[in-house]
Amino acid sequence: MSVAIIDYGSGNLHSAAKAFERAAREHGLAPDIRVTSDADTVARAERIVLPGVGAFADCKRGLAAVDGMIDALNEAVIGKGRPFLGICVGMQLMASRGLEFETSEGLGWIAGDVVEIRPSDATLKIPHMGWNTIDVKQPHPLLAGIETGPQGLHAYFVHSYHLAAANLGQVIATTDYGGAITAMVGRDNMAGTQFHPEKSQRLGLKLISNFLSWAP
Amino acid sequence: MTLKARVIPCLDVKDGRVVKGVNFVDLVDAGDPVEAAKAYDAAGADELCFLDITASHEGRDTIFDVVRRTAEACFMPLTVGGGVRSVEDIRRLLIAGADKVSINTAAVKEPDFVRHAAKKFGSQCIVVSIDAKQVNAAGEPERFEIFTHGGRNATGIDAVEFARKVVELGAGELLVTSMDRDGTKAGYNIALTRAIADAVPVPVIASGGVGALEHMVEGIRDGHATAVLAASIFHFGTYTIHEAKEHMAAAGIAMRLDA
């Protein structure tokens, strides 16, 4: 099985690749995990991961600057129905639009805008940075075997914006930070996590291995 | 709210080796930062911090290998500081596997560097490390001043004003070290921590002076920090990470205890 982790100049992909290798090994899988900026490799990959850190518009520009990449993503994910995982800004890019610093178009796969977090309690710090639990809104195969809810495992978050999905049926999980924040979205063969599975120890490695064996 | 306070062990690294060693577990090589990082990962640390204190130019590249090997083994956030002076330094650390970099002297000398760094890599990975001392006499209004070179050189810069400024420039987090407490085991300078935490919208990490678990409680509860950093009390096995977190949880602070 081939897994493409898309390199478009955003952030550290080394640790993401290592987390995927480790999760695969622990679950007896032997996928071919590649960090790539080649659109053809992405179009052919059996599973696709879009990471991302930084600002939405910068990431979108970075992705658009890779020749043929957005077309390849649409072909593989929408056309061929290949399992897709967006992480952090990679998840936000699934939205219709991002409103960070400037308004820019996303991939348009999950209807909704990426908007600033505005906690009800003004003393709460932004970014929402650190470990938080997640509340499941729609059961999802990527969360199989993961303890969720207030007493569950923790996920590592670092973000100031979140995806406000237009269709609440596409919100898989939320987290609480002075109000509910979108933690995970998904539909069909695509899912996205606002938290960083590659930094979330037990919860993260389990989610990654679930993704590697996901058959949507 | 369910965001948890973070406990962050910090390792001083020189020429690719841990300074003073870590003796809280049976490590094969206590001088290898990667071995120590793995042990802290397994012990439930919420993040890790490496402070590179390598002085020689030749030795400086060793940190990249340490970060790379750590990122291969530990799936938790890693902050690296010490000698971060250029956009290229940051880029290399992030590519090696660091999640955040902490900028200290370079931010004092050239605050605009913080703006460039945040613009290029995002605020989420830019930590500004503020080393400060309380400089007012007893009975006077509290005043805190930035010091450089391990607390030897006064700069005349007001620490709270500086904190506000670097956050405006794009720092996503502040690591506030009380230089008058560092190494004393007398506890964080709570007045300093709180003055800065209350002045900025971003998370603050309390640092400098931890000698007892209650000091960590004070850092969060009274200092208004959202994370606490400590070195020797963990390295020398005085307390485990888990004991620290249990103690903080018992004091009513929301902690992550599942790791």
PDB file of all heavy atoms in Angstrom, chain A residues 163-194:
ATOM      1  N   LEU A 163     -12.405  25.117  11.918  1.00  0.00           N
ATOM      2  CA  LEU A 163     -13.328  24.986  10.789  1.00  0.00           C
ATOM      3  C   LEU A 163     -14.773  24.952  11.296  1.00  0.00           C
ATOM      4  O   LEU A 163     -15.172  23.998  11.974  1.00  0.00           O
ATOM      5  CB  LEU A 163     -12.999  23.693  10.016  1.00  0.00           C
ATOM      6  CG  LEU A 163     -13.468  23.577   8.557  1.00  0.00           C
ATOM      7  CD1 LEU A 163     -12.866  22.335   7.907  1.00  0.00           C
ATOM      8  CD2 LEU A 163     -14.964  23.576   8.376  1.00  0.00           C
ATOM      9  N   ALA A 164     -15.517  26.007  10.994  1.00  0.00           N
ATOM     10  CA  ALA A 164     -16.933  26.040  11.354  1.00  0.00           C
ATOM     11  C   ALA A 164     -17.702  25.413  10.188  1.00  0.00           C
ATOM     12  O   ALA A 164     -17.958  26.074   9.183  1.00  0.00           O
ATOM     13  CB  ALA A 164     -17.379  27.474  11.609  1.00  0.00           C
ATOM     14  N   ALA A 165     -18.027  24.130  10.309  1.00  0.00           N
ATOM     15  CA  ALA A 165     -18.662  23.407   9.208  1.00  0.00           C
ATOM     16  C   ALA A 165     -20.126  23.808   9.076  1.00  0.00           C
ATOM     17  O   ALA A 165     -20.829  23.972  10.080  1.00  0.00           O
ATOM     18  CB  ALA A 165     -18.539  21.903   9.433  1.00  0.00           C
ATOM     19  N   ALA A 166     -20.577  23.984   7.830  1.00  0.00           N
ATOM     20  CA  ALA A 166     -21.964  24.372   7.575  1.00  0.00           C
ATOM     21  C   ALA A 166     -22.902  23.211   7.892  1.00  0.00           C
ATOM     22  O   ALA A 166     -24.014  23.408   8.377  1.00  0.00           O
ATOM     23  CB  ALA A 166     -22.122  24.808   6.122  1.00  0.00           C
ATOM     24  N   ASN A 167     -22.444  21.998   7.613  1.00  0.00           N
ATOM     25  CA  ASN A 167     -23.251  20.805   7.848  1.00  0.00           C
ATOM     26  C   ASN A 167     -22.732  20.105   9.098  1.00  0.00           C
ATOM     27  O   ASN A 167     -21.671  19.479   9.078  1.00  0.00           O
ATOM     28  CB  ASN A 167     -23.137  19.895   6.618  1.00  0.00           C
ATOM     29  CG  ASN A 167     -23.861  18.569   6.811  1.00  0.00           C
ATOM     30  OD1 ASN A 167     -24.392  18.286   7.898  1.00  0.00           O
ATOM     31  ND2 ASN A 167     -23.864  17.752   5.771  1.00  0.00           N
ATOM     32  N   LEU A 168     -23.482  20.203  10.190  1.00  0.00           N
ATOM     33  CA  LEU A 168     -23.008  19.640  11.457  1.00  0.00           C
ATOM     34  C   LEU A 168     -22.845  18.127  11.387  1.00  0.00           C
ATOM     35  O   LEU A 168     -22.138  17.533  12.192  1.00  0.00           O
ATOM     36  CB  LEU A 168     -23.946  20.038  12.600  1.00  0.00           C
ATOM     37  CG  LEU A 168     -23.925  21.538  12.952  1.00  0.00           C
ATOM     38  CD1 LEU A 168     -24.845  21.821  14.135  1.00  0.00           C
ATOM     39  CD2 LEU A 168     -22.514  22.035  13.257  1.00  0.00           C
ATOM     40  N   GLY A 169     -23.483  17.517  10.408  1.00  0.00           N
ATOM     41  CA  GLY A 169     -23.314  16.077  10.210  1.00  0.00           C
ATOM     42  C   GLY A 169     -21.906  15.710   9.762  1.00  0.00           C
ATOM     43  O   GLY A 169     -21.523  14.547   9.793  1.00  0.00           O
ATOM     44  N   GLN A 170     -21.135  16.718   9.332  1.00  0.00           N
ATOM     45  CA  GLN A 170     -19.752  16.452   8.907  1.00  0.00           C
ATOM     46  C   GLN A 170     -18.744  16.750  10.020  1.00  0.00           C
ATOM     47  O   GLN A 170     -17.540  16.623   9.821  1.00  0.00           O
ATOM     48  CB  GLN A 170     -19.433  17.269   7.646  1.00  0.00           C
ATOM     49  CG  GLN A 170     -20.271  16.795   6.462  1.00  0.00           C
ATOM     50  CD  GLN A 170     -20.067  17.600   5.194  1.00  0.00           C
ATOM     51  OE1 GLN A 170     -19.499  18.691   5.216  1.00  0.00           O
ATOM     52  NE2 GLN A 170     -20.528  17.064   4.083  1.00  0.00           N
ATOM     53  N   VAL A 171     -19.252  17.162  11.188  1.00  0.00           N
ATOM     54  CA  VAL A 171     -18.363  17.354  12.339  1.00  0.00           C
ATOM     55  C   VAL A 171     -18.292  16.025  13.096  1.00  0.00           C
ATOM     56  O   VAL A 171     -19.269  15.577  13.679  1.00  0.00           O
ATOM     57  CB  VAL A 171     -18.875  18.485  13.267  1.00  0.00           C
ATOM     58  CG1 VAL A 171     -18.004  18.593  14.513  1.00  0.00           C
ATOM     59  CG2 VAL A 171     -18.901  19.809  12.510  1.00  0.00           C
ATOM     60  N   ILE A 172     -17.117  15.412  13.054  1.00  0.00           N
ATOM     61  CA  ILE A 172     -16.945  14.096  13.683  1.00  0.00           C
ATOM     62  C   ILE A 172     -16.713  14.237  15.182  1.00  0.00           C
ATOM     63  O   ILE A 172     -17.196  13.449  15.977  1.00  0.00           O
ATOM     64  CB  ILE A 172     -15.736  13.341  13.055  1.00  0.00           C
ATOM     65  CG1 ILE A 172     -15.867  13.272  11.531  1.00  0.00           C
ATOM     66  CG2 ILE A 172     -15.563  11.959  13.677  1.00  0.00           C
ATOM     67  CD1 ILE A 172     -17.043  12.490  11.027  1.00  0.00           C
ATOM     68  N   ALA A 173     -15.940  15.256  15.564  1.00  0.00           N
ATOM     69  CA  ALA A 173     -15.647  15.447  16.987  1.00  0.00           C
ATOM     70  C   ALA A 173     -15.373  16.919  17.262  1.00  0.00           C
ATOM     71  O   ALA A 173     -14.937  17.657  16.386  1.00  0.00           O
ATOM     72  CB  ALA A 173     -14.439  14.608  17.405  1.00  0.00           C
ATOM     73  N   THR A 174     -15.642  17.309  18.511  1.00  0.00           N
ATOM     74  CA  THR A 174     -15.338  18.679  18.940  1.00  0.00           C
ATOM     75  C   THR A 174     -14.453  18.585  20.185  1.00  0.00           C
ATOM     76  O   THR A 174     -14.274  17.518  20.772  1.00  0.00           O
ATOM     77  CB  THR A 174     -16.615  19.459  19.301  1.00  0.00           C
ATOM     78  OG1 THR A 174     -17.302  18.749  20.335  1.00  0.00           O
ATOM     79  CG2 THR A 174     -17.531  19.623  18.102  1.00  0.00           C
ATOM     80  N   THR A 175     -13.893  19.736  20.554  1.00  0.00           N
ATOM     81  CA  THR A 175     -13.183  19.831  21.818  1.00  0.00           C
ATOM     82  C   THR A 175     -13.684  21.085  22.500  1.00  0.00           C
ATOM     83  O   THR A 175     -14.232  21.975  21.833  1.00  0.00           O
ATOM     84  CB  THR A 175     -11.653  19.845  21.607  1.00  0.00           C
ATOM     85  OG1 THR A 175     -10.999  19.730  22.876  1.00  0.00           O
ATOM     86  CG2 THR A 175     -11.189  21.118  20.919  1.00  0.00           C
ATOM     87  N   ASP A 176     -13.537  21.149  23.818  1.00  0.00           N
ATOM     88  CA  ASP A 176     -14.106  22.277  24.542  1.00  0.00           C
ATOM     89  C   ASP A 176     -13.024  23.269  24.932  1.00  0.00           C
ATOM     90  O   ASP A 176     -12.054  22.923  25.615  1.00  0.00           O
ATOM     91  CB  ASP A 176     -14.811  21.765  25.806  1.00  0.00           C
ATOM     92  CG  ASP A 176     -15.335  22.915  26.637  1.00  0.00           C
ATOM     93  OD1 ASP A 176     -15.897  23.856  26.049  1.00  0.00           O
ATOM     94  OD2 ASP A 176     -15.163  22.895  27.870  1.00  0.00           O
ATOM     95  N   TYR A 177     -13.165  24.514  24.476  1.00  0.00           N
ATOM     96  CA  TYR A 177     -12.255  25.574  24.906  1.00  0.00           C
ATOM     97  C   TYR A 177     -13.069  26.866  24.966  1.00  0.00           C
ATOM     98  O   TYR A 177     -13.106  27.629  24.009  1.00  0.00           O
ATOM     99  CB  TYR A 177     -11.078  25.696  23.930  1.00  0.00           C
ATOM    100  CG  TYR A 177      -9.931  26.534  24.462  1.00  0.00           C
ATOM    101  CD1 TYR A 177      -9.299  26.198  25.664  1.00  0.00           C
ATOM    102  CD2 TYR A 177      -9.475  27.656  23.785  1.00  0.00           C
ATOM    103  CE1 TYR A 177      -8.250  26.953  26.164  1.00  0.00           C
ATOM    104  CE2 TYR A 177      -8.422  28.412  24.272  1.00  0.00           C
ATOM    105  CZ  TYR A 177      -7.815  28.056  25.460  1.00  0.00           C
ATOM    106  OH  TYR A 177      -6.764  28.809  25.951  1.00  0.00           O
ATOM    107  N   GLY A 178     -13.763  27.040  26.056  1.00  0.00           N
ATOM    108  CA  GLY A 178     -14.663  28.176  26.177  1.00  0.00           C
ATOM    109  C   GLY A 178     -15.756  28.081  25.134  1.00  0.00           C
ATOM    110  O   GLY A 178     -16.143  29.081  24.521  1.00  0.00           O
ATOM    111  N   GLY A 179     -16.233  26.865  24.884  1.00  0.00           N
ATOM    112  CA  GLY A 179     -17.197  26.590  23.825  1.00  0.00           C
ATOM    113  C   GLY A 179     -16.667  25.471  22.951  1.00  0.00           C
ATOM    114  O   GLY A 179     -15.484  25.138  23.027  1.00  0.00           O
ATOM    115  N   ALA A 180     -17.549  24.906  22.135  1.00  0.00           N
ATOM    116  CA  ALA A 180     -17.131  23.777  21.299  1.00  0.00           C
ATOM    117  C   ALA A 180     -16.332  24.270  20.096  1.00  0.00           C
ATOM    118  O   ALA A 180     -16.709  25.232  19.434  1.00  0.00           O
ATOM    119  CB  ALA A 180     -18.348  22.989  20.832  1.00  0.00           C
ATOM    120  N   ILE A 181     -15.195  23.604  19.850  1.00  0.00           N
ATOM    121  CA  ILE A 181     -14.341  23.897  18.702  1.00  0.00           C
ATOM    122  C   ILE A 181     -14.279  22.618  17.870  1.00  0.00           C
ATOM    123  O   ILE A 181     -14.233  21.526  18.434  1.00  0.00           O
ATOM    124  CB  ILE A 181     -12.923  24.251  19.196  1.00  0.00           C
ATOM    125  CG1 ILE A 181     -12.929  25.596  19.906  1.00  0.00           C
ATOM    126  CG2 ILE A 181     -11.917  24.269  18.072  1.00  0.00           C
ATOM    127  CD1 ILE A 181     -11.601  25.900  20.538  1.00  0.00           C
ATOM    128  N   THR A 182     -14.260  22.773  16.558  1.00  0.00           N
ATOM    129  CA  THR A 182     -14.200  21.586  15.703  1.00  0.00           C
ATOM    130  C   THR A 182     -12.843  20.894  15.853  1.00  0.00           C
ATOM    131  O   THR A 182     -11.795  21.507  15.654  1.00  0.00           O
ATOM    132  CB  THR A 182     -14.411  21.976  14.229  1.00  0.00           C
ATOM    133  OG1 THR A 182     -15.646  22.685  14.134  1.00  0.00           O
ATOM    134  CG2 THR A 182     -14.439  20.736  13.345  1.00  0.00           C
ATOM    135  N   ALA A 183     -12.881  19.619  16.202  1.00  0.00           N
ATOM    136  CA  ALA A 183     -11.645  18.854  16.376  1.00  0.00           C
ATOM    137  C   ALA A 183     -11.410  17.911  15.208  1.00  0.00           C
ATOM    138  O   ALA A 183     -10.272  17.563  14.894  1.00  0.00           O
ATOM    139  CB  ALA A 183     -11.685  18.051  17.679  1.00  0.00           C
ATOM    140  N   MET A 184     -12.512  17.467  14.573  1.00  0.00           N
ATOM    141  CA  MET A 184     -12.374  16.512  13.486  1.00  0.00           C
ATOM    142  C   MET A 184     -13.591  16.608  12.572  1.00  0.00           C
ATOM    143  O   MET A 184     -14.715  16.726  13.042  1.00  0.00           O
ATOM    144  CB  MET A 184     -12.247  15.101  14.079  1.00  0.00           C
ATOM    145  CG  MET A 184     -11.969  14.029  13.069  1.00  0.00           C
ATOM    146  SD  MET A 184     -11.557  12.475  13.929  1.00  0.00           S
ATOM    147  CE  MET A 184     -11.583  11.365  12.534  1.00  0.00           C
ATOM    148  N   VAL A 185     -13.320  16.593  11.262  1.00  0.00           N
ATOM    149  CA  VAL A 185     -14.409  16.619  10.280  1.00  0.00           C
ATOM    150  C   VAL A 185     -14.259  15.415   9.349  1.00  0.00           C
ATOM    151  O   VAL A 185     -13.202  14.775   9.308  1.00  0.00           O
ATOM    152  CB  VAL A 185     -14.395  17.904   9.411  1.00  0.00           C
ATOM    153  CG1 VAL A 185     -14.703  19.136  10.253  1.00  0.00           C
ATOM    154  CG2 VAL A 185     -13.066  18.053   8.673  1.00  0.00           C
ATOM    155  N   GLY A 186     -15.296  15.136   8.589  1.00  0.00           N
ATOM    156  CA  GLY A 186     -15.172  14.064   7.618  1.00  0.00           C
ATOM    157  C   GLY A 186     -16.441  13.844   6.833  1.00  0.00           C
ATOM    158  O   GLY A 186     -17.527  14.259   7.250  1.00  0.00           O
ATOM    159  N   ARG A 187     -16.257  13.245   5.676  1.00  0.00           N
ATOM    160  CA  ARG A 187     -17.386  12.720   4.892  1.00  0.00           C
ATOM    161  C   ARG A 187     -16.797  11.687   3.930  1.00  0.00           C
ATOM    162  O   ARG A 187     -15.635  11.794   3.527  1.00  0.00           O
ATOM    163  CB  ARG A 187     -18.116  13.832   4.145  1.00  0.00           C
ATOM    164  CG  ARG A 187     -17.326  14.475   3.006  1.00  0.00           C
ATOM    165  CD  ARG A 187     -18.269  15.341   2.166  1.00  0.00           C
ATOM    166  NE  ARG A 187     -17.571  16.104   1.156  1.00  0.00           N
ATOM    167  CZ  ARG A 187     -17.421  15.713  -0.117  1.00  0.00           C
ATOM    168  NH1 ARG A 187     -17.911  14.552  -0.516  1.00  0.00           N
ATOM    169  NH2 ARG A 187     -16.777  16.479  -0.982  1.00  0.00           N
ATOM    170  N   ASP A 188     -17.582  10.714   3.585  1.00  0.00           N
ATOM    171  CA  ASP A 188     -17.160   9.688   2.627  1.00  0.00           C
ATOM    172  C   ASP A 188     -15.762   9.159   2.964  1.00  0.00           C
ATOM    173  O   ASP A 188     -15.543   8.654   4.043  1.00  0.00           O
ATOM    174  CB  ASP A 188     -17.229  10.241   1.194  1.00  0.00           C
ATOM    175  CG  ASP A 188     -18.589  10.874   0.897  1.00  0.00           C
ATOM    176  OD1 ASP A 188     -19.599  10.301   1.357  1.00  0.00           O
ATOM    177  OD2 ASP A 188     -18.626  11.946   0.265  1.00  0.00           O
ATOM    178  N   ASN A 189     -14.826   9.347   2.010  1.00  0.00           N
ATOM    179  CA  ASN A 189     -13.472   8.799   2.168  1.00  0.00           C
ATOM    180  C   ASN A 189     -12.482   9.816   2.711  1.00  0.00           C
ATOM    181  O   ASN A 189     -11.280   9.602   2.638  1.00  0.00           O
ATOM    182  CB  ASN A 189     -12.972   8.307   0.804  1.00  0.00           C
ATOM    183  CG  ASN A 189     -13.029   9.420  -0.239  1.00  0.00           C
ATOM    184  OD1 ASN A 189     -14.064  10.072  -0.386  1.00  0.00           O
ATOM    185  ND2 ASN A 189     -11.948   9.658  -0.934  1.00  0.00           N
ATOM    186  N   MET A 190     -12.969  10.940   3.214  1.00  0.00           N
ATOM    187  CA  MET A 190     -12.036  11.963   3.694  1.00  0.00           C
ATOM    188  C   MET A 190     -12.293  12.327   5.146  1.00  0.00           C
ATOM    189  O   MET A 190     -13.437  12.321   5.612  1.00  0.00           O
ATOM    190  CB  MET A 190     -12.139  13.221   2.828  1.00  0.00           C
ATOM    191  CG  MET A 190     -13.509  13.847   2.859  1.00  0.00           C
ATOM    192  SD  MET A 190     -13.565  15.372   1.892  1.00  0.00           S
ATOM    193  CE  MET A 190     -13.683  14.713   0.240  1.00  0.00           C
ATOM    194  N   ALA A 191     -11.200  12.592   5.855  1.00  0.00           N
ATOM    195  CA  ALA A 191     -11.292  13.011   7.251  1.00  0.00           C
ATOM    196  C   ALA A 191     -10.200  14.029   7.517  1.00  0.00           C
ATOM    197  O   ALA A 191      -9.191  14.076   6.802  1.00  0.00           O
ATOM    198  CB  ALA A 191     -11.127  11.806   8.190  1.00  0.00           C
ATOM    199  N   GLY A 192     -10.430  14.853   8.528  1.00  0.00           N
ATOM    200  CA  GLY A 192      -9.420  15.844   8.883  1.00  0.00           C
ATOM    201  C   GLY A 192      -9.418  16.054  10.384  1.00  0.00           C
ATOM    202  O   GLY A 192     -10.472  16.038  11.019  1.00  0.00           O
ATOM    203  N   THR A 193      -8.215  16.201  10.952  1.00  0.00           N
ATOM    204  CA  THR A 193      -8.104  16.451  12.387  1.00  0.00           C
ATOM    205  C   THR A 193      -7.472  17.813  12.618  1.00  0.00           C
ATOM    206  O   THR A 193      -6.453  18.135  12.019  1.00  0.00           O
ATOM    207  CB  THR A 193      -7.238  15.380  13.091  1.00  0.00           C
ATOM    208  OG1 THR A 193      -5.914  15.411  12.556  1.00  0.00           O
ATOM    209  CG2 THR A 193      -7.820  13.996  12.933  1.00  0.00           C
ATOM    210  N   GLN A 194      -8.076  18.616  13.480  1.00  0.00           N
ATOM    211  CA  GLN A 194      -7.466  19.892  13.854  1.00  0.00           C
ATOM    212  C   GLN A 194      -6.247  19.632  14.743  1.00  0.00           C
ATOM    213  O   GLN A 194      -5.256  20.344  14.685  1.00  0.00           O
ATOM    214  CB  GLN A 194      -8.489  20.767  14.590  1.00  0.00           C
ATOM    215  CG  GLN A 194      -7.952  22.089  15.053  1.00  0.00           C
ATOM    216  CD  GLN A 194      -7.501  22.956  13.890  1.00  0.00           C
ATOM    217  OE1 GLN A 194      -8.282  23.391  13.067  1.00  0.00           O
ATOM    218  NE2 GLN A 194      -6.182  23.195  13.799  1.00  0.00           N
TER     219      GLN A 194
END
